[in-house]
Amino acid sequence: MEAYILMALLLLLTIVTIAIVFQRSLFAVVILAGIYSFLMATAMIVLDAVDVAMTEAAVGAGVATVFFLASLHLTRAREYPRPRAVWLPLFVAGVVGAALIGGTYDLPLFGSAASPIHQHIAPHYLNESMGETGVPNVVTAVLADYRSIDTLGETTVIFTAGIGIMVLLRGRRRRRGEDKDDVDPGARET
Amino acid sequence: MKYDVIMRIGVKLVLPFILLFAFYVHFHGDYGPGGGFQAGVMMAGMLILYAIVFGNDALNRVAPRSFVERCVPLGALLFASVGLIGPYFGYRYLDYAPLSTNSIHAREWGILLVELGVLITVAATMTSIYYAFTERGQS
């Protein structure tokens, strides 16, 4: 049953992705991207990854959609006409896609207990985290206790991203012809 | 959207519950899904929803832009300084042991404080990105 729900969700994801590619109105693209995130969050719930699902729903579908709409407010809401030459990009995309699909054949089978990731440290976290940290949610135990320095790094990344956006978007929008005023504010009076 | 009655009243009814849920997700992060990051995004979402319906001036009264932008480094600093408690008492960096004599309680406190730092940085970053986008070219 779970597998069928997952397949239906992945099918819808594919449809939404194709719709995004062929859609020219950027407003519709933003809304479709929000739908994509919600479908992804549902797929995460089906896979029992509720923490990831919550993040995907809140960030991908919620805040990111608002940011995209806000950036449309600064730019145009329509995509520029497609460039003539599509064969080279199509070729590059095809090669990269084939390489990725080829790469999946070397991955362990989906959900396989014998895959390397389940042999190393994950069983220790799953079996021992309750006794060692007293935190029932393993995800929180790993994020804020075992791997708290990594989480500090992630917080620094968010901080850096925020500062970068603030620096980029700070200040007045400069129009043509205003540059001269910026150089010499007193020039207008003469 | 300033004059849409249904929107204004509906949003006013919903806002406190979003905030409450954000706090629930933060403080319940040890037991259920979620944590500081998700709670921070929800809190920022609440502020952004308020700004969309009531305008940026209303948001500026609730959470002034300068205050929000100062909170961005504050959260990261809180996280890093909680880590310094460990070395001060002779433990390793980000070791929560000195926070309490009971090791479980110490971890509980340490995780809450650290996640509070994440919450502050995430919420402030998202809100100030919204400010940066919407107030560009208006000052």
Side-chain angles (χ1 to χ4, degrees), chain B residues 42-58:
Chain B
M42 278 172 201
M43 217 171 266
M46 181 205 69
L47 291 173
I48 291 171
L49 179 63
Y50 185 66
I52 288 174
V53 176
F54 293 95
N56 272 20
D57 292 337

Side-chain angles (χ1 to χ4, degrees), chain B residues 10-117:
Chain B
V11 164
K12 267 190 181 169
L13 282 175
V14 163
L15 284 179
F17 293 104
I18 300 178
L19 189 62
L20 192 67
F21 187 60
F23 277 120
Y24 168 78
V25 166
H26 173 64
F27 287 106
H28 209 252
D30 320 14
Y31 303 97
F37 188 90
Q38 289 87 344
V41 174
M42 278 172 201
M43 217 171 266
M46 181 205 69
L47 291 173
I48 291 171
L49 179 63
Y50 185 66
I52 288 174
V53 176
F54 293 95
N56 272 20
D57 292 337
L59 181 62
N60 242 318
R61 280 196 293 277
V62 178
R65 189 175 180 179
S66 56
F67 170 75
V68 169
E69 288 181 350
R70 276 184 197 130
C71 280
V72 174
L74 187 79
L77 273 179
L78 176 68
F79 198 136
S81 45
V82 167
L84 284 177
I85 297 173
Y88 184 78
F89 288 99
Y91 294 89
R92 278 177 294 177
Y93 186 68
L94 274 171
D95 196 334
Y96 307 134
L99 287 169
S100 167
T101 47
N102 182 336
S103 101
I104 303 282
H105 275 292
R107 284 173 191 284
E108 179 117 31
W109 272 105
I111 289 174
L112 268 186
L113 282 174
V114 155
E115 297 264 346
L116 185 68

Side-chain angles (χ1 to χ4, degrees), chain A residues 51 55 137 140 144-145 170 172, chain B residues 29-30 32 34 38 69 96 107:
Chain A
D51 284 84
T55 316
N137 184 0
T140 306
D145 206 325
R170 165 118 316 172
R172 278 192 312 155
Chain B
D30 320 14
Q38 289 87 344
E69 288 181 350
Y96 307 134
R107 284 173 191 284

